[in-house]
Amino acid sequence: MDQATIVNYALGYIAVAIAVFVMFLPALASLGLLLLVAGAVQVIVLLLQAVATALYRAVLRAYHYLLDKWQSRPRGRLTAH
């Protein structure tokens, strides 16, 4: 096998590799966009979870504040009947 044949085979393999890459490029682009969307959804869910936790803590803090104010009335603390 001479050198020209080896070079032609190498160029053929490179051409096939490039053709396969170009053929699968739309699928790779779609997968990349899907991964970006999934990451964005995770960030949004994380932010919603942080907001929900902060809201829950604020409501709980307000409830405890009002409960302490209510139970420190001049009539004394509430007791179970």
Side-chain angles (χ1 to χ4, degrees):
M1 194 183 292
D2 61 341
Q3 195 172 11
T5 305
I6 294 172
V7 170
N8 282 334
Y9 281 153
L11 289 177
Y13 284 133
I14 291 172
V16 167
I18 290 172
V20 168
F21 176 74
V22 169
M23 191 171 64
F24 285 115
L25 197 58
L28 291 174
S30 299
L31 184 63
L33 288 174
L34 188 62
L35 287 173
L36 285 175
V37 169
V41 168
Q42 279 187 342
V43 168
I44 289 171
V45 167
L46 182 68
L47 289 175
L48 284 175
Q49 185 178 6
V51 167
T53 304
L55 212 77
Y56 174 75
R57 287 183 179 176
V59 167
L60 195 63
R61 191 176 300 123
Y63 172 72
H64 282 295
Y65 173 76
L66 289 175
L67 192 64
D68 287 343
K69 280 279 204 195
W70 190 36
Q71 289 187 351
S72 64
R73 298 183 301 188
R75 289 184 280 174
R77 296 184 63 84
L78 295 176
T79 58
H81 288 91

